[in-house]
Amino acid sequence: MGNLFCCVQVDQSKVAVKEKFGRFVEVLEPGCHCLPWFLGHQIAGHLSLRLQQLDVRCETKTKDNVFVNVVASIQYRALADKADDAFYKLSNTRSQIQAYVFDVIRASVPKLNLDAAFEQKNEIAKAVEDELEKAMSAYGYEIVQTLIVDIEPDEHVKRAMNEINAAARMRVAANEKAEAEKILQIKRAEGEAESKYLSGLGIARQRQAIVDGLRDSVLGFSVNVPGTTAKDVMDMVLVTQYFDTMKEIGASSKSSAVFIPHGPGSVRDVASQIRDGLLQGSHQ
């Protein structure tokens, strides 16, 4: 019906290319236009001005001979003031862009090791964008953004990289665990040393108190009972202590059977041994 009344409609975000007898005349903006077809005017085609995206997957290898798939995302659009160039100069815009992307990626990535390729994704994307901008601006296209969205090495390479990372982390964890155990053992040894020191100090004070008590008893008895010697008093005190100990052992319900020699000679031997030990401790 539009052709019947010599009218044509151009949608928003599009332009139409007008020809007369097969020769380019002008670019029609969005809206309604008069197109006298009987005078040889016609619409050669429409061109979208919307932002378009092209995802390109390129296989290449790195400097350390690892094959990777590089996925690049190219965002581009046709320029309204150069719509005739965009319409006539390129027959397949997407194939042309893809060829330039392949060329730049296969020239950039082989110069880098695998780790460097991951780290320099932005530099690779910038190189692709600069090259496309120079090439496609002559054909009426603008390169808005270029992104390297993924770098995919072979599955075996990824597994090996994960194992290397896991081994490094396990090594760090083992070092930390060993250091913690070392500190724990040092603290335990310091605690045991302090405990033994305090225990020895307590035993020494206990023995000193016993010696002091016996000395006071001997001196007091010698003063109150004239004619007795210190040895006599010590023997009597030790024998008294001996019988008190025997009484406590027999009175305890939880004590085990204890077999010791008993008799006047045995008591004298025990007293002699205890006296010698106490006097030796007092001397030290």
Side-chain angles (χ1 to χ4, degrees):
M1 183 64 69
N3 290 337
L4 181 62
F5 292 100
C6 299
C7 293
V8 65
Q9 174 183 317
V10 180
D11 297 333
Q12 186 65 33
S13 299
K14 289 184 178 181
V15 292
V17 178
K18 179 181 177 182
E19 293 180 348
K20 181 178 181 180
F21 296 113
R23 182 178 181 180
F24 171 73
V25 176
E26 63 177 335
V27 176
L28 302 180
E29 300 290 336
C32 185
H33 300 273
C34 180
L35 190 70
W37 54 269
F38 52 85
L39 296 179
H41 295 271
Q42 64 175 354
I43 298 297
H46 293 80
L47 182 67
S48 175
L49 301 179
R50 293 180 178 178
L51 184 67
Q52 302 181 63
Q53 178 168 310
L54 173 63
D55 293 328
V56 180
R57 177 181 291 269
C58 175
E59 184 180 16
T60 183
K61 78 178 186 70
T62 61
K63 187 177 181 179
D64 46 355
N65 296 322
V66 177
F67 280 87
V68 294
N69 285 313
V70 181
V71 181
S73 180
I74 314 300
Q75 297 176 355
Y76 67 98
R77 65 186 172 194
L79 298 173
D81 56 344
K82 294 183 178 181
D84 53 333
D85 291 337
F87 185 81
Y88 286 106
K89 287 187 176 181
L90 289 179
S91 60
N92 193 330
T93 305
R94 300 175 73 87
S95 296
Q96 187 78 9
I97 292 176
Q98 183 174 347
Y100 279 108
V101 173
F102 280 176
D103 180 66
V104 176
I105 290 179
R106 287 174 177 169
S108 301
V109 175
K111 299 178 182 178
L112 305 172
N113 292 328
L114 181 59
D115 293 338
F118 279 98
E119 295 172 357
Q120 301 183 24
K121 289 172 55 178
N122 293 336
E123 286 76 2
I124 298 174
K126 189 67 170 62
V128 174
E129 182 176 347
D130 293 343
E131 186 67 23
L132 285 176
E133 187 67 33
K134 290 189 297 183
M136 300 305 295
S137 60
Y139 300 110
Y141 282 93
E142 175 190 9
I143 304 300
V144 179
Q145 186 72 28
T146 301
L147 303 172
I148 302 298
V149 296
D150 198 8
I151 298 178
E152 300 177 355
D154 184 77
E155 187 65 29
H156 297 289
V157 176
K158 289 195 290 186
R159 187 180 300 111
M161 293 173 66
N162 291 334
E163 290 177 355
I164 292 173
N165 186 270
R169 293 180 181 275
M170 290 178 63
R171 183 167 60 251
V172 173
N175 290 335
E176 294 294 334
K177 183 179 179 181
E179 189 67 24
E181 292 179 351
K182 174 184 175 182
I183 295 175
L184 185 62
Q185 291 179 0
I186 291 174
K187 293 300 181 182
R188 186 183 295 114
E190 292 177 352
E192 290 179 356
E194 185 68 18
S195 176
K196 290 180 179 178
Y197 169 76
L198 295 176
S199 177
L201 189 61
I203 293 173
R205 290 178 177 177
Q206 179 187 21
R207 291 177 178 176
Q208 184 63 40
I210 293 173
V211 171
D212 292 341
L214 291 175
R215 183 181 64 249
D216 294 340
S217 299
V218 170
L219 292 177
F221 195 88
S222 299
V223 172
N224 295 326
V225 183
T228 58
T229 63
K231 179 178 180 304
D232 297 333
V233 177
M234 181 64 72
D235 290 340
M236 187 181 68
V237 171
L238 292 178
V239 170
T240 303
Q241 293 291 331
Y242 173 78
F243 283 112
D244 289 341
T245 303
M246 294 288 293
K247 180 179 178 181
E248 291 178 0
I249 293 174
S252 176
S253 60
K254 295 183 179 180
S255 60
S256 302
V258 178
F259 295 94
I260 58 175
H262 185 67
S266 299
V267 173
R268 185 166 47 252
D269 292 341
V270 171
S272 177
Q273 293 174 10
I274 294 175
R275 183 177 61 253
D276 293 342
L278 289 174
L279 292 176
Q280 185 179 0
S282 177
H283 177 70
Q284 290 178 353

